[in-house]
Amino acid sequence: MALILNIETSSTNCSVSLSKDEEILVLKEDNNAGYSHAEKLHLFIMEAIEISGISKNNLDAIAISKGPGSFTGLRIGVSTAKGICFALDKPLISISTLEALAHQIKTNKGLIIPMLDARRMEVYSAIFDWEYNPNREIQAQVLDETSFKSELENGKVYFIGNGVEKTKTIISHYNAVFTEGKLPSASTMGKLANMKYKKSDFENVAYFEPYYLKDFVALKTKKN
């Protein structure tokens, strides 16, 4: 039975869980604190391990939400996960942020579109069927009135993530179901991490990098 520490920092939700096989044993998260991962992530990890009563040395793997999402959040999460892997000599598992987000929707029909805000009218999105099989790869897309038109004309489409708020302002369709207020969470990583663990689908700890989707551009401070 695989005991896995799951870490999610791709959005404002700092989230940590411990899972055994597919069951979540402990969940620690705060989705209302803004980008406070640097202050809270290590605390949540220690608290989750303490609450479980399991020694950190008994962990079988560390799973990290790989992105896309916040550049800073992803860097903090990945560097923390890699540090634990090196310290404990444990394998690293990467989980698609949008795939894990899609698993927060439970339905028996239609499509699921997880989406994360990428500023202005742009979102990071992917499309899955109701059994979570990928229907379209992850994209950075600018939303307009025609976005997801063909999907909506063919049946129910469930939108989830912090990109929903602006999506519902420009897309109006009777097949659109909007789930607001949901962010990526370590609560849905256990099942996906366990599947990869069984297949020994591990990352190279030394060379693994987050999936940013777009290049990070540092803005220079304007001089007077």
Side-chain angles (χ1 to χ4, degrees), residues 5 11 30 48 97 156 164 171 181 184 187 199:
L5 175 67
S11 70
D30 186 352
T97 300
K156 290 292 184 183
V164 164
I171 295 179
S187 64
K199 297 185 292 184

Side-chain angles (χ1 to χ4, degrees), residues 34-88:
Y35 289 102
S36 60
H37 308 320
E39 294 79 21
K40 295 198 172 185
L41 181 56
H42 288 278
L43 176 63
F44 284 177
I45 291 171
M46 290 188 295
E47 289 180 347
I49 292 174
E50 182 179 352
I51 291 171
S52 71
I54 299 170
S55 169
K56 61 184 179 181
N57 294 310
N58 290 332
L59 293 171
D60 291 299
I62 312 301
I64 182 67
S65 179
K66 67 178 181 180
S70 158
F71 290 100
T72 301
L74 289 171
R75 286 201 302 274
I76 292 173
V78 168
S79 62
T80 299
K82 290 170 72 170
I84 297 173
C85 288
F86 277 123
L88 301 179

Side-chain angles (χ1 to χ4, degrees), residues 11 16 36 71 83 85 92 97 99 121 153 166 184 187 190 195:
S11 70
V16 173
S36 60
F71 290 100
C85 288
L92 178 66
T97 300
E99 183 178 2
M121 290 310 296
E153 289 178 348
K166 58 188 177 186
S187 64
M195 291 170 60

Side-chain angles (χ1 to χ4, degrees), residues 7-11 64-70 74 94-106 111-118 122-141 143 148 158-164 167 179 182-189 192 196 210-214:
I7 299 173
E8 164 56 65
T9 58
S10 65
S11 70
I64 182 67
S65 179
K66 67 178 181 180
S70 158
L74 289 171
S94 69
I95 303 297
S96 165
T97 300
L98 291 178
E99 183 178 2
L101 180 58
H103 277 256
Q104 293 189 38
I105 296 290
K106 307 297 181 183
L111 298 174
I112 303 171
I113 300 183
M115 50 173 51
L116 296 177
D117 190 355
E122 190 173 23
V123 295
Y124 302 131
S125 71
I127 302 177
F128 298 88
D129 65 22
W130 64 274
E131 294 181 303
Y132 311 114
N133 298 306
N135 188 281
R136 195 213 69 193
E137 64 182 10
I138 298 172
Q139 294 181 5
Q141 63 183 122
L143 298 172
F148 311 112
Y158 299 84
F159 296 92
I160 185 171
N162 62 3
V164 164
T167 303
T179 301
K182 296 294 185 179
L183 294 171
S185 169
S187 64
T188 55
M189 291 176 63
L192 297 171
K196 284 199 166 187
Y211 177 50
Y212 294 121
L213 191 57
K214 294 197 300 183

